[in-house]
Amino acid sequence: MAQCVQSVQEYIQDSFVPMVAVLCSEDAERVTRKNSLSFPELLRPFCRLTSEGHLRDPNNQVVVVKGLRISVTGINTRPPQTPEMQRLLSQAVSVCQPPEVSPANVITAGDYDLNISATTPWFETYRENFLQSMPASEHEFLNHYLACMLVVSSCEAVPTERFLKLSQEQHRIQHSGEYTHPKWFIPNTLKYYVLLHDISEGDEQRADSVYEDMKQRYGTQGCYLLKINSRSGSTGADEQMPDPWSQYLHKTSIHNPVSYKIFNTALIDVPLVFADGVSETHPLQLDQPTDAGYPSNNASQSVNNVDMTRPQKQASVTSHTTPTPRGTCLTLNDHDHIRQFIQEFTFRGLLPHIEKNIRQLNDQLVSRKGLSRSLFSATKKLFGGGKVPEKSIAELKNTAGLLYPSEAPELQIRKMADLCFLVQHYELAYNCYHTAKKDFLSDQAMLYAAGALEMAAVAAFLQSGAPRPYPAHYMDTAIQTYRDVCKNMLLAERCCLLSAEILKSQTKYSDAATLLIKMTSEDSDLRSALLLEQAAHCFINMRGPMVRKFAFHMILAGHRFSKAGQKRHALRCYCQALQVYKGKGWALAEDHINFTIGRQSFTLRQPDNAVAAFRHILINDSKQSAVQQTAFLREYLYVYKSMSQVTGDGSLPQLPLPCLHSSQTRVFCGHERRLAEGEKQAATHVSLDQEFDRDLSQLWRELEERVVAVVNRGAVPITFQPSQCCLNSQTDNLRYPLAVVEEPIIVEVVFRNPLKVPLALSALCLLWKFTPKDFSDPQGSTAGETITNEKEAASLKEVRLLIARLKLLPHKTGELHVLGVVYNLDTGEVDNSEGSLAEDLMCVRGQQNLEIQGSRLNMTKEEKTSVTYGPDHRLDPIITPPMPLLEVFFINFPTGLLCGEIRKAWVEFVNMSAVPLTGLRVASTHPEFFTFGSAASDLTPVTPTAAEHCSAYKTVAMPPSVETVSLVSPAAFGVTSGDRPVVAEIPLSQGVLGPGEALQIPLWLRGPDREGVHEINFLFYYESTEKTAKLSHRVLRHTAFICASRSLSIRATASRSNTLHSRERETEERQEEEEKNGSMLVFVDVENINTSEAGVREFHIVQVSSSSRQWRLHKCINPVGDKDSKLASRERGKLCFKATRCRTEEGGASSSQKYTFADLNLGNEQIVSSTTPCADFFFRRGLPSEPRRGGVSTGGASQMWRQSGTDDGVTNIVKKCSEVELDIIVLWKAYVVEDNKQLILEGQLHVALQTIGKEACSLSQKEETQEMVLLKFKPDIPPPVSKPSLEQLSHLIKTCLHYPESYDHPFPQKSLCMVPVTLTLSNCSLAQVDVIVDLRHKTTSPESLEVHGSFSWLGQTQYKLQLQAQEVYRLSLKACFFQAGVYNLGTPRVFAKLAQTSAMCETSQQSAMPALIIINSV
């Protein structure tokens, strides 16, 4: 139970006090009415004694009476009937509310920190009023009148006669038998005569003389002169006097006799408005007719006429109007007079009267029982031993209606016990109660027995020193008897209240809670609510607090409070219980509590609390059924609508539904993508429909940085900010995004419906704040409307996401801040019967704020050690001045190509803005995929329709012949330093694309070399002609997907030529040059690997071209019969070409930087490979050293030297001997049948020859094999010193034998045939080489004789020579044959080494080619 202001002893003592009746004359009542008080009201604040009283018990022992309080009421005070009593108690509880600002009383129990009211003053008020309104009963005497004050004014003509009349009236009321009420304690009631003197009007001497006469007549202990009204009310109105009556008369109490007087005239029914807003009938109205058992008006006019003027005044006070000031004619001395009067009455009149009656009762009982002189000692002897067994309640008869005569000894014992109890003689009282209890139980008078048990238990508890424990079972038996046998719930409730308070004082909270819960019933909701609340406090105050039991019983109490009409108390109970259930997983219980809190708050006109409670029900993922959720939602909308109508201000409150995921908000700044028109395909750019890819975003950023670096001459500015059109939670939002005036800003917000019922959202729009700022355009402030806000409507189904895109169109430059979303919320149900009126009634308008938390900072040490978040500015765009707006359309852009296929498309650039555009550039992740042509190519040819069936190449009619050679500089195609161009500048007429203008230029595409689907990204960069500080450039993105199919597979090998041209066909100078520069054989294998999935019939190899700075294809040495190579599916062809070194004089001084293109056409048309697009794609080809690992660069000598820069000079010299650096370009045509039409496709494939004898392929090796090589489980051994391999050393010297193919010799005449043979040695390196020529046959086996034949070399068998760099040396030899036949002259073994490396092992340079000679015998 909650803490009380009084202790339990004080509470019990104040519950049972001596009762004193008052009978006033009319004049006396008129004197007190000057102070707006009746005589009992005048005395009420002074009825508690401040000093101790004394009396003696029958054993002549002194009993000390401390803090005694007496109750003074009118003689005709009538206790209220049951309906009136319930109304009275309800009002008393209703007006007693907890203070709005109460000190926090936090109780910590486990994981709970509960803020619980420490006191419950409403319960104490209820308890006080309940006990004071108890009607007098026949079975007990505690609330019977012990004395009667007869009050007469000193201004009466003959006061003694008036006293006599009043005394006779009192005697008639008590003894005539006409009235059952009021009840009197003893027949010989104490009559106390009070002469009331009005000092301001009466004659004081006359009052003193009358008082002297009274003392002679009634004795000094039976009368008193009370002087009041020391001042007049008008003269002292300006003085502020204390008002001790306010705390008594403001409370609704039975001590206000006006509430229970019976009046001759009907009372006015004044409606009373409680704090709960519930109109109740005024408690002064009597529902029942006048009870004949009470004194009526006709008995004596003096009984009731003193209160005739009170009803309307009291009603006005209770109606919370301005209270009438009381005690205005009294001074502090008058207060002391009244206090002294009460003390005199009690000590000299009441207590001696009680002492005398106790002695008389004791004597009567002793004489009647024949016991010893002292009942006290007798009861000790009788009850000190064993106890008489008591019958159970079930065995007892229903004798609740048994009545004893007033002279019965059992009632005399009870009367004596009550007298002792009232004067705090608890030990004697207990003994008497105990004796009476035995007698009553033996007579089976259960009502009397229950009363004796109840008071015996209370008296046992109040005994000082606690000689015996509190008999709680007495109380339990009494409660059960009252409730079950006697059917008297009032007495049972009083017994429960007393026992619970006693148990609480003994910290027996569990027993107290059990007792309180037992007393709850359906007959009184108010009583049940109060008792359940006190039981809840018992649970929380236990040594181990039972938090959940506290909350559960608080819920029960709140429910009963609500049924009793106590809305505020019900709300308080639910709020306290919510502390326990909130956030602990009790979802359904929490919903019920919040729903009830919302309803109660709305009833009490607390709309803010109601909306907050309903909000909690709706924002969480509710486990309620759809029907229940619909009810919650309708209730919330109704409350919300009512609140918005009451407040009336323009602000829109926050809506809880649907859930707004602020972090998932996306912002798109820029134009909306235009749809494709006809054959035109618009650039994809960026849209909200695309999912964000972090890797792809980084790729676009790198592309943009490359373009910006090219524009700014190789350096990216410090202020560079990558373009971000679409902002989300994964983008970098630390900077303010930039938007352009007159271009829409689309904000995508994500709603989630947590309920199982649909929601309808309408009139969605954004809430924003705009600050105009003029960045560069002075005309920006002349626009009419700042921002256009478009509205949308949507429906949100159950447990689904709604993505709403809201658009803003800025018309001025400045700073924009998007704050939230405003919308109408309605239930998603469609009910045609209710019509649109019901829909408008349930539709509410509100907002939700967009509050986005930035990403966590994790850069510095402080940020890593703490949790700090950066700003997120995606909703704060800066509106910049107008900028150009580019749209790109692709015409005839394919979706599928063959590998290496060349296709000509067109691209159209359109300036959609009113600002001119310049500096148009494009960057791509696949620069080898497309080209706009070189600067020298003709960019203004025919239109796309006219060029539809033309070849993409520049062709010349020419029969097959020797190669056509042309020199081309890479710079003409935008290639510098061997790197492929990532950024290409798009030529514009006069460098500017005006507003609304369009430009179409051709675009050549080449299918990727590898099959599959390829994602190709284009980034178009452009600037405004007017430079602005905020936005320097803009970009447009396009992503194309190309499906590449197989076409041809090209393999090429280069071999040294070991033969020289005959003198008959070449001049001597040409032969010298050939021997010095050398020639080479190139074998090209072409295989058709197409699977005919694209409808390809056959491939034609129309031309083979070469491009190199050192070599060129000279002629085709294939058989002449096959001019045009045709390859059907899975067929393979082989081509052989002769390659020679480029002439240095062809290109002049800069020939080393230029590429020599040589074309060898196999048909009648020659494709000029040195022009667009063939040369473009050659220079844009993917260099193996860049995108792939393990490859060798094909970008020329500079790349080769750059790769080997870490090697020593010897290795470089050896490598140069075997390097070729020759690129083969194979141009082909494919015949395709598509839609019953034959189409001709054309394309080119590139093969890069690097090393002599090493095969090169147009298809790159699988990267998986590269990865397998790199997997090592041991630490890498440092690479050894780079040394030339044996294969590289074998290419130092080139050998060639010159001899006649056949030789005739007359063997019969001359047995030895000697043939001259010339061995030509060519030094292929740029260093001095030592050469050893060994002519000895190494093998002598029969097999080798068959191969070499039997011939011998004449002369030296070994030659040691030294050849200078690129020197050609001819060594003359003679071969001797002994008979005719075919011989192989390729037996000389040649060893070579670099001159400066003596330790280098010599390596054989013998050619594997046979040198056959035919010896004929003539």
Side-chain angles (χ1 to χ4, degrees):
M1 295 172 66
Q3 298 297 321
C4 297
V5 177
Q6 289 180 311
S7 67
V8 61
Q9 288 82 5
E10 294 173 344
Y11 156 65
I12 296 177
Q13 288 175 7
D14 284 355
S15 300
F16 304 100
V17 295
M19 301 286 291
V20 179
V22 174
L23 194 58
C24 286
S25 67
E26 294 180 3
D27 292 340
E29 188 68 19
R30 194 176 298 115
V31 171
T32 59
R33 285 299 175 197
K34 290 183 178 181
N35 298 287
S36 302
L37 296 167
S38 65
F39 188 78
E41 291 173 347
L42 179 71
L43 302 184
R44 188 170 305 163
F46 311 100
C47 285
R48 184 179 295 277
L49 301 181
T50 56
S51 58
E52 296 180 353
H54 300 85
L55 55 84
R56 292 183 180 272
D57 64 2
N59 284 342
N60 211 27
Q61 297 292 324
V62 177
V63 178
V64 180
V65 182
K66 299 179 180 179
L68 180 66
R69 187 177 71 87
I70 62 174
S71 175
V72 181
T73 58
I75 194 170
N76 53 358
T77 299
R78 172 177 175 259
Q81 299 297 322
T82 302
E84 297 176 54
M85 184 176 177
Q86 291 178 350
R87 199 161 43 237
L88 170 71
L89 295 175
S90 177
Q91 179 187 354
V93 173
S94 179
V95 299
C96 186
Q97 297 291 336
E100 294 183 0
V101 183
S102 58
N105 177 40
V106 179
I107 296 179
T108 301
D111 297 336
Y112 300 93
D113 292 325
L114 306 179
N115 188 1
I116 300 171
S117 54
T119 59
T120 51
W122 49 90
F123 174 70
E124 297 177 41
T125 302
Y126 170 86
R127 193 176 59 185
E128 178 184 351
N129 281 272
F130 171 79
L131 292 173
Q132 291 175 1
S133 62
M134 289 285 294
S137 176
E138 295 291 344
H139 77 286
E140 62 183 9
F141 304 93
L142 291 168
N143 50 0
H144 292 192
Y145 285 125
L146 273 168
C148 182
M149 291 183 182
L150 305 178
V151 185
V152 174
S153 173
S154 62
C155 62
E156 294 272 356
V158 185
T160 54
E161 291 183 3
R162 176 59 67 180
F163 277 125
L164 180 60
K165 289 182 179 180
L166 292 179
S167 175
Q168 293 173 351
E169 179 66 23
Q170 188 276 332
H171 187 271
R172 186 181 68 84
I173 292 174
Q174 180 177 359
H175 298 289
S176 66
E178 299 177 9
Y179 308 107
T180 58
H181 294 85
K183 301 288 185 182
W184 301 93
F185 205 106
I186 48 180
N188 185 19
T189 301
L190 171 67
K191 297 177 182 177
Y192 199 77
Y193 301 88
V194 180
L195 182 65
L196 189 64
H197 176 64
D198 189 340
I199 299 177
S200 61
E201 293 182 359
D203 186 355
E204 190 170 351
Q205 291 182 355
R206 181 175 181 273
D208 291 338
S209 64
V210 172
Y211 178 58
E212 289 296 328
D213 185 32
M214 290 172 60
K215 286 193 292 183
Q216 294 295 329
R217 186 183 298 267
Y218 306 119
T220 57
Q221 296 181 351
C223 60
Y224 193 84
L225 172 61
L226 178 60
K227 300 179 180 180
I228 60 172
N229 294 350
S230 298
R231 62 173 183 173
S232 60
S234 59
T235 58
D238 54 342
E239 298 182 23
Q240 187 69 29
M241 293 295 294
D243 184 7
W245 297 272
S246 60
Q247 59 178 323
Y248 294 96
L249 301 185
H250 280 176
K251 296 191 296 182
T252 305
S253 169
I254 66 164
H255 285 177
N256 184 352
V258 181
S259 302
Y260 312 104
K261 292 287 184 183
I262 304 171
F263 299 103
N264 193 16
T265 58
L267 292 176
I268 300 174
D269 184 9
V270 181
L272 180 66
V273 180
F274 290 166
D276 289 350
V278 181
S279 179
E280 292 279 352
T281 307
H282 194 277
L284 295 180
Q285 181 181 3
L286 300 181
D287 295 334
Q288 299 178 354
T290 304
D291 190 352
Y294 285 85
S296 64
N297 268 356
N298 299 327
S300 171
Q301 189 69 21
S302 65
V303 175
N304 295 306
N305 62 358
V306 293
D307 292 327
M308 287 295 290
T309 60
R310 291 288 292 169
Q312 295 187 10
K313 291 184 181 180
Q314 178 64 22
S316 64
V317 171
T318 317
S319 301
H320 301 288
T321 57
T322 304
T324 305
R326 299 181 181 88
T328 55
C329 298
L330 301 176
T331 62
L332 294 179
N333 288 332
D334 293 335
H335 293 182
D336 293 337
H337 292 162
I338 298 172
R339 190 177 293 109
Q340 185 177 0
F341 159 66
I342 293 294
Q343 191 164 345
E344 284 289 326
F345 163 73
T346 305
F347 290 163
R348 304 186 66 179
L350 184 61
L351 288 181
H353 177 71
I354 294 175
E355 180 183 343
K356 181 180 70 172
N357 280 278
I358 291 175
R359 288 180 178 274
Q360 290 177 356
L361 289 170
N362 182 62
D363 292 343
Q364 292 176 10
L365 292 173
V366 168
S367 63
R368 288 182 182 181
K369 297 273 185 178
L371 301 177
S372 63
R373 296 290 300 170
S374 172
L375 179 65
F376 177 69
S377 60
T379 52
K380 288 181 67 177
K381 290 180 181 178
L382 286 173
F383 303 110
K387 298 174 64 177
V388 178
E390 300 178 6
K391 297 181 181 180
S392 65
I393 296 297
E395 296 174 354
L396 293 175
K397 298 178 182 178
N398 187 5
T399 56
L402 176 64
L403 292 177
Y404 287 96
S406 58
E407 297 82 9
E410 292 84 1
L411 288 188
Q412 302 304 317
I413 297 176
R414 172 66 199 243
K415 192 176 292 186
M416 180 178 172
D418 288 346
L419 280 174
C420 294
F421 189 89
L422 289 175
V423 294
Q424 303 176 10
H425 193 354
Y426 298 118
E427 185 176 0
L428 182 56
Y430 172 78
N431 291 327
C432 292
Y433 284 133
H434 204 281
T435 303
K437 182 234 343 173
K438 293 292 184 182
D439 294 339
F440 292 143
L441 284 176
S442 63
D443 295 338
Q444 295 187 1
M446 299 313 300
L447 178 63
Y448 295 88
L453 284 170
E454 175 187 4
M455 297 311 298
V458 175
F461 170 73
L462 291 176
Q463 288 184 44
S464 59
R468 55 179 58 86
Y470 168 66
H473 61 286
Y474 280 12
M475 278 293 192
D476 295 339
T477 305
I479 292 173
Q480 192 173 359
T481 305
Y482 283 143
R483 186 180 58 191
D484 299 337
V485 178
C486 305
K487 307 297 182 184
N488 193 328
M489 289 302 295
L490 291 179
L491 294 174
E493 183 178 352
R494 183 187 72 178
C495 195
C496 172
L497 293 175
L498 294 173
S499 181
E501 196 68 28
I502 293 171
L503 291 172
K504 184 198 78 168
S505 68
Q506 296 177 342
T507 65
K508 297 178 180 180
Y509 290 107
S510 179
D511 297 338
T514 304
L515 180 64
L516 291 166
I517 295 170
K518 279 183 180 180
M519 275 305 297
T520 59
S521 60
E522 293 298 324
D523 59 334
S524 175
D525 291 314
L526 181 62
R527 180 187 70 234
S528 299
L530 290 165
L531 297 184
L532 284 169
E533 183 183 11
Q534 294 304 308
H537 281 282
C538 287
F539 288 123
I540 202 65
N541 286 317
M542 286 178 161
R543 179 176 297 177
M546 305 176 75
V547 180
R548 288 195 291 274
K549 276 200 171 186
F550 160 79
F552 178 69
H553 286 84
M554 270 295 183
I555 295 294
L556 296 178
H559 175 65
R560 300 303 292 270
F561 271 129
S562 180
K563 290 178 66 177
Q566 302 287 338
K567 305 297 182 184
R568 290 185 182 275
H569 289 294
L571 178 60
R572 175 183 49 77
C573 289
Y574 276 102
C575 290
Q576 291 194 1
L578 183 61
Q579 300 177 85
V580 176
Y581 290 103
K582 189 174 183 180
K584 299 295 183 181
W586 300 77
L588 298 179
E590 194 173 346
D591 287 350
H592 166 74
I593 296 171
N594 278 310
F595 181 72
T596 309
I597 290 175
R599 274 198 165 177
Q600 301 287 11
S601 300
F602 180 72
T603 306
L604 295 172
R605 292 174 175 81
Q606 299 176 6
D608 293 338
N609 294 340
V611 169
F614 282 114
R615 179 187 180 91
H616 283 292
I617 303 177
L618 299 175
I619 58 175
N620 299 322
D621 290 330
S622 175
K623 296 180 180 179
Q624 303 282 359
S625 64
V627 178
Q628 191 66 44
Q629 288 182 358
T630 304
F632 287 165
L633 179 60
R634 284 184 171 274
E635 196 94 13
Y636 169 76
L637 293 178
Y638 179 76
V639 171
Y640 184 95
K641 188 84 171 178
S642 304
M643 184 192 72
S644 60
Q645 291 174 354
V646 170
T647 56
D649 53 358
S651 62
L652 290 174
Q654 298 286 325
L655 285 175
L657 287 176
C659 297
L660 177 61
H661 295 287
S662 297
S663 61
Q664 298 182 21
T665 302
R666 298 196 297 168
V667 180
F668 180 77
C669 303
H671 68 289
E672 296 180 3
R673 178 190 170 197
R674 288 181 57 182
L675 299 176
E677 302 174 358
E679 293 295 326
K680 293 184 179 180
Q681 177 185 347
T684 56
H685 196 44
V686 183
S687 69
L688 289 171
D689 297 326
Q690 301 170 359
E691 293 186 3
F692 179 78
D693 188 338
R694 187 178 297 276
D695 296 336
L696 194 60
S697 175
Q698 181 64 24
L699 185 144
W700 288 116
R701 179 191 176 105
E702 293 174 357
L703 277 179
E704 188 174 354
E705 286 182 353
R706 289 188 181 183
V707 185
V708 172
V710 169
V711 172
N712 291 276
R713 299 177 182 179
V716 178
I718 301 177
T719 58
F720 167 72
Q721 182 177 352
S723 302
Q724 292 188 126
C725 297
C726 186
L727 302 170
N728 54 40
S729 58
Q730 301 182 53
T731 55
D732 182 13
N733 303 322
L734 294 177
R735 299 183 181 181
Y736 292 93
L738 301 176
V740 180
V741 68
E742 298 297 340
E743 291 188 13
I745 299 172
I746 301 175
V747 179
E748 180 186 274
V749 291
V750 179
F751 293 101
R752 184 179 66 87
N753 182 7
L755 304 181
K756 300 174 184 176
V757 295
L759 301 175
L761 307 182
S762 59
L764 280 83
C765 60
L766 292 172
L767 187 66
W768 47 266
K769 182 179 71 174
F770 184 76
T771 306
K773 284 192 178 181
D774 192 4
F775 294 111
S776 62
D777 187 7
Q779 289 80 24
S781 59
T782 61
E785 189 179 5
T786 305
I787 290 180
T788 304
N789 198 346
E790 296 188 6
K791 297 183 179 180
E792 287 191 8
S795 177
L796 191 56
K797 301 300 181 184
E798 55 176 288
V799 200
R800 290 187 181 174
L801 292 178
L802 168 67
I803 298 177
R805 293 179 180 173
L806 307 174
K807 185 189 298 183
L808 296 176
L809 187 63
H811 302 299
K812 294 182 180 179
T813 59
E815 297 177 354
L816 175 65
H817 303 279
V818 179
L819 305 178
V821 187
V822 181
Y823 56 93
N824 292 335
L825 176 63
D826 195 1
T827 57
E829 300 175 350
V830 179
D831 191 355
N832 296 326
S833 62
E834 296 182 3
S836 61
L837 181 62
E839 294 180 3
D840 294 340
L841 186 64
M842 300 303 293
C843 181
V844 298
R845 185 159 184 82
Q847 70 178 33
Q848 287 199 54
N849 293 335
L850 285 169
E851 298 174 350
I852 303 177
Q853 185 184 60
S855 58
R856 181 178 175 182
L857 303 177
N858 199 23
M859 299 296 292
T860 64
K861 182 180 179 181
E862 291 77 11
E863 293 171 353
K864 292 179 180 179
T865 54
S866 62
V867 180
T868 55
Y869 295 90
D872 193 303
H873 293 302
R874 77 181 89 162
L875 294 175
D876 307 320
I878 296 176
I879 313 302
T880 63
M883 284 288 290
L885 184 61
L886 177 68
E887 279 281 8
V888 178
F889 299 95
F890 296 91
I891 306 170
N892 298 332
F893 198 90
T895 57
L897 292 172
L898 294 174
C899 292
E901 178 187 350
I902 304 295
R903 187 78 64 91
K904 187 176 184 180
W906 295 77
V907 61
E908 181 179 15
F909 301 97
V910 184
N911 185 0
M912 306 296 296
S913 67
V915 181
L917 177 153
T918 186
L920 183 57
R921 292 174 173 83
V922 61
S924 176
T925 54
H926 295 70
E928 73 278 2
F929 171 70
F930 71 97
T931 178
F932 288 102
S934 62
S937 60
D938 189 4
L939 289 182
T940 57
V942 291
T943 60
T945 55
E948 186 175 357
H949 300 292
C950 297
S951 173
Y953 292 109
K954 180 180 180 181
T955 58
V956 178
M958 182 179 294
S961 62
V962 188
E963 82 284 8
T964 303
V965 180
S966 57
L967 281 176
V968 173
S969 173
F973 295 90
V975 179
T976 57
S977 70
D979 295 326
R980 52 181 176 169
V982 178
V983 180
E985 186 169 356
I986 299 172
L988 300 173
S989 58
Q990 299 179 354
V992 175
L993 189 63
E997 292 183 2
L999 172 67
Q1000 280 189 356
I1001 60 173
L1003 174 71
W1004 286 271
L1005 308 173
R1006 178 177 179 271
D1009 288 325
R1010 299 183 64 178
E1011 65 172 331
V1013 178
H1014 298 263
E1015 179 180 342
I1016 299 167
N1017 300 308
F1018 298 88
L1019 182 77
F1020 296 95
Y1021 168 100
Y1022 56 98
E1023 302 172 353
S1024 174
T1025 54
E1026 298 180 4
K1027 302 298 181 184
T1028 60
K1030 288 290 181 184
L1031 198 57
S1032 60
H1033 67 275
R1034 303 188 81 175
V1035 296
L1036 177 67
R1037 301 174 182 176
H1038 176 64
T1039 301
F1041 290 92
I1042 298 296
C1043 181
S1045 304
R1046 293 183 181 182
S1047 57
L1048 298 177
S1049 173
I1050 312 294
R1051 296 178 181 272
T1053 312
S1055 301
R1056 292 200 185 277
S1057 175
N1058 289 334
T1059 59
L1060 293 174
H1061 300 285
S1062 62
R1063 289 184 176 83
E1064 289 79 14
R1065 296 176 59 188
E1066 300 288 344
T1067 62
E1068 188 70 24
E1069 293 79 6
R1070 181 65 178 268
Q1071 183 181 359
E1072 289 290 336
E1073 182 187 343
E1074 288 287 344
E1075 290 171 353
K1076 185 175 182 180
N1077 294 332
S1079 60
M1080 189 169 55
L1081 296 179
V1082 178
F1083 300 95
V1084 180
D1085 288 347
V1086 185
E1087 181 182 1
N1088 180 1
I1089 59 173
N1090 185 269
T1091 56
S1092 300
E1093 56 192 16
V1096 181
R1097 279 186 170 182
E1098 58 185 7
F1099 285 90
H1100 288 233
I1101 309 301
V1102 297
Q1103 182 173 311
V1104 179
S1105 301
S1106 68
S1107 175
S1108 175
R1109 287 181 288 194
Q1110 299 178 8
W1111 295 87
R1112 60 184 173 87
L1113 291 183
H1114 179 56
K1115 62 180 179 179
C1116 178
I1117 55 176
N1118 263 28
V1120 183
D1122 192 4
K1123 295 293 184 184
D1124 193 1
S1125 301
K1126 298 179 183 179
L1127 295 175
S1129 179
R1130 311 308 293 180
E1131 285 188 350
R1132 178 184 293 184
K1134 193 176 187 71
L1135 300 174
C1136 184
F1137 299 93
K1138 180 180 179 182
T1140 60
R1141 287 189 179 273
C1142 299
R1143 301 174 185 174
T1144 55
E1145 63 270 10
E1146 287 179 355
S1150 62
S1151 62
S1152 61
Q1153 297 300 325
K1154 290 187 176 182
Y1155 282 76
T1156 300
F1157 282 82
D1159 300 331
L1160 289 173
N1161 57 311
L1162 305 180
N1164 292 323
E1165 281 188 345
Q1166 186 180 69
I1167 297 173
V1168 183
S1169 62
S1170 60
T1171 59
T1172 298
C1174 185
D1176 291 86
F1177 288 117
F1178 166 72
F1179 287 115
R1180 285 174 171 263
R1181 70 198 184 283
L1183 303 181
S1185 61
E1186 293 180 358
R1188 307 184 194 92
R1189 286 170 281 181
V1192 183
S1193 174
T1194 61
S1198 61
Q1199 298 234 354
M1200 201 64 219
W1201 286 108
R1202 190 160 60 241
Q1203 283 192 355
S1204 58
T1206 58
D1207 299 342
D1208 53 30
V1210 174
T1211 307
N1212 287 336
I1213 291 172
V1214 175
K1215 281 185 178 180
K1216 286 293 290 182
C1217 299
S1218 57
E1219 283 181 358
V1220 176
E1221 297 183 16
L1222 175 64
D1223 288 277
I1224 305 297
I1225 305 172
V1226 177
L1227 294 102
W1228 49 264
K1229 287 185 179 181
Y1231 294 90
V1232 180
V1233 176
E1234 186 177 302
D1235 297 334
N1236 296 324
K1237 293 181 181 179
Q1238 179 169 321
L1239 302 178
I1240 300 177
L1241 307 180
E1242 51 192 352
Q1244 65 187 59
L1245 295 171
H1246 308 135
V1247 182
L1249 286 171
Q1250 297 290 327
T1251 311
I1252 292 177
K1254 187 174 183 180
E1255 185 181 63
C1257 183
S1258 61
L1259 297 176
S1260 60
Q1261 297 294 326
K1262 296 286 184 182
E1263 293 188 5
E1264 287 79 9
T1265 58
Q1266 302 277 345
E1267 295 290 342
M1268 293 297 290
V1269 175
L1270 294 176
L1271 285 176
K1272 294 180 180 179
F1273 297 96
K1274 293 182 179 179
D1276 291 341
I1277 302 173
V1281 180
S1282 179
K1283 295 181 180 180
S1285 63
L1286 298 180
E1287 183 183 1
Q1288 292 172 338
L1289 290 172
S1290 66
H1291 297 298
L1292 284 175
I1293 299 296
K1294 175 184 174 183
T1295 60
C1296 185
L1297 287 171
H1298 295 269
Y1299 56 89
E1301 292 181 2
S1302 62
Y1303 192 83
D1304 298 333
H1305 181 71
F1307 281 99
Q1309 288 84 13
K1310 199 172 183 180
S1311 60
L1312 292 177
C1313 174
M1314 289 179 289
V1315 179
V1317 178
T1318 303
L1319 175 61
T1320 304
L1321 303 172
S1322 299
N1323 184 2
C1324 297
S1325 68
L1326 298 176
Q1328 202 175 39
V1329 179
D1330 293 336
V1331 181
I1332 297 176
V1333 181
D1334 191 356
L1335 300 180
R1336 293 174 293 178
H1337 296 306
K1338 280 290 184 182
T1339 58
T1340 56
S1341 62
E1343 292 81 3
S1344 63
L1345 290 177
E1346 292 179 4
V1347 175
H1348 298 292
S1350 55
F1351 79 96
S1352 299
W1353 294 102
L1354 301 181
Q1356 291 181 230
T1357 58
Q1358 193 177 58
Y1359 297 88
K1360 289 187 179 181
L1361 307 172
Q1362 191 173 61
L1363 301 183
Q1364 300 300 321
Q1366 294 189 341
E1367 180 185 354
V1368 179
Y1369 183 81
R1370 291 181 176 82
L1371 181 61
S1372 298
L1373 303 175
K1374 281 190 178 181
C1376 181
F1377 303 92
F1378 306 106
Q1379 58 184 4
V1382 179
Y1383 297 90
N1384 180 14
L1385 297 179
T1387 60
R1389 303 179 66 197
V1390 180
F1391 299 89
K1393 68 172 184 178
L1394 295 175
Q1396 65 267 33
T1397 56
S1398 58
M1400 191 71 70
C1401 181
E1402 298 184 8
T1403 306
S1404 174
Q1405 296 287 322
Q1406 182 168 356
S1407 173
M1409 297 286 290
L1412 301 180
I1413 186 172
I1414 302 174
I1415 304 297
N1416 298 318
S1417 177
V1418 180

